[in-house]
Amino acid sequence: MRAIETVSIGNVEDFLHEMVPQLGFQRTPIYRGQASDQWAILPTLFREEVARTEFNSWNELESSLLVRLKQRARGDLGYDPMSELEWMSIGQHHGLPTRLSAWTENALVALYFATEPGREGEDGIVWRILPGDSNLVISQDYEQVPERPRIYGPQKTTPAMLNQKTCYLCHPLPAEDAAPETFEEYYELGDERMHLSRLVVAAGEKEFIRRRLATMGIDARTLFPGMTGLCEQISEEIYSHTDSYEWVFPG
């Protein structure tokens, strides 16, 4: 069984030391930020309950969701996605349950999500995957949905996805109606050439780290272009004050 590396993060400087450079043309480290270290890595599809639906398996449920999306979304999209993976990435981005979990190639973006308000008293976490082989990355002309974990870069992106450097991890479907497996469980028992780490962000430091990120241009306005991101940024700024530098101002 493989162990998951765990690293404690107390400040931005600690985190900067854990930012890994690109390992190859198709071997870019990816990161996923979560506001609670109690949350597992699960795609949105696996949070559904097959037993409560009319479907007998995960495959039936996923296929039906995608068929319905294709029937109704073409008019809104204005183009025809070229593959099942592209349809999945569109659905995932807009809230449809899929087997994809969202990641980023920008480590600081993941740190931003790990420090998201609302989970005070809980450590945040940044997951990091170092791909050992280029075949872990799906090429853009790949037409089939893989049955093993693979990294996918969406072809069609929004301004938010571009700014967040969004990519996706494609999870294997559970067999029939079996309970879904977290990616951590899969990794510990699997043989993929990758390395998974948990970068644990101390609960007491999350607010300060988030303010530091804002000074580096990692804030809601940047990551969510438009009015929603702007209003979120303004709302957060009312708590952004300090008297640590009052000594520089003459009385």
Side-chain angles (χ1 to χ4, degrees):
M1 176 182 290
R2 289 188 294 186
I4 299 172
E5 177 189 20
T6 300
V7 179
S8 297
I9 302 296
N11 51 53
V12 173
E13 287 70 26
D14 289 345
F15 191 76
L16 293 177
H17 284 298
E18 296 299 326
M19 291 172 58
V20 179
Q22 187 166 325
L23 306 176
F25 187 69
Q26 283 192 292
R27 293 172 59 208
T28 301
I30 62 172
Y31 303 82
R32 175 178 171 85
Q34 298 182 170
S36 172
D37 67 342
Q38 301 302 306
W39 296 344
I41 306 174
L42 278 175
T44 50
L45 180 68
F46 294 0
R47 298 171 194 165
E48 304 300 323
E49 299 178 54
V50 175
R52 292 181 55 200
T53 72
E54 61 187 297
F55 306 106
N56 297 316
S57 69
W58 292 99
N59 186 58
E60 285 186 15
L61 174 59
E62 178 186 58
S63 298
S64 298
L65 287 167
L66 288 173
V67 166
R68 190 62 58 87
L69 179 66
K70 293 172 186 177
Q71 289 171 339
R72 298 181 177 181
R74 283 188 169 91
D76 292 324
L77 291 175
Y79 68 94
D80 238 4
M82 299 178 62
S83 68
E84 288 293 285
L85 279 168
E86 193 174 350
W87 274 111
M88 282 185 186
S89 68
I90 291 167
Q92 173 64 29
H93 179 65
H94 292 285
L96 187 77
T98 75
R99 69 166 78 182
L100 304 180
S101 57
W103 295 66
T104 174
E105 295 179 358
N106 188 328
L108 294 179
V109 170
L111 185 59
Y112 173 87
F113 287 111
T115 59
E116 195 168 14
R119 309 295 298 191
E120 287 75 13
E122 296 183 50
D123 292 340
I125 189 165
V126 173
W127 295 98
R128 180 185 63 199
I129 293 178
L130 304 181
D133 283 326
S134 60
N135 64 11
L136 292 171
V137 179
I138 299 170
S139 61
Q140 293 290 10
D141 59 354
Y142 202 106
E143 292 297 324
Q144 296 179 343
V145 179
E147 293 303 321
R148 297 173 72 86
R150 294 292 182 266
I151 299 166
Y152 175 64
Q155 295 191 45
K156 297 290 185 180
T157 57
T158 65
M161 293 168 73
L162 283 173
N163 288 3
Q164 295 173 29
K165 299 195 75 172
T166 299
C167 58
Y168 295 107
L169 179 66
C170 187
H171 297 247
L173 284 184
E176 296 302 322
D177 60 349
E181 189 175 44
T182 68
F183 182 68
E184 302 94 287
E185 293 168 333
Y186 184 96
Y187 172 81
E188 289 174 335
L189 298 174
D191 58 0
E192 308 284 354
R193 286 200 69 226
M194 64 173 66
H195 183 75
L196 179 65
S197 304
R198 301 169 76 250
L199 311 180
V200 181
V201 183
E205 300 298 326
K206 288 164 71 174
E207 183 177 356
F208 181 71
I209 289 174
R210 194 172 181 86
R211 293 179 188 173
R212 288 286 304 278
L213 287 173
T215 68
M216 302 164 74
I218 306 297
D219 55 27
R221 176 65 164 155
T222 301
L223 301 183
F224 300 96
M227 289 298 297
T228 300
L230 173 60
C231 291
E232 182 177 336
Q233 180 185 4
I234 293 172
S235 298
E236 286 196 27
E237 285 176 352
I238 63 174
Y239 299 106
S240 299
H241 60 89
T242 178
D243 58 6
S244 297
Y245 297 94
E246 287 299 316
W247 61 272
V248 303
F249 305 108

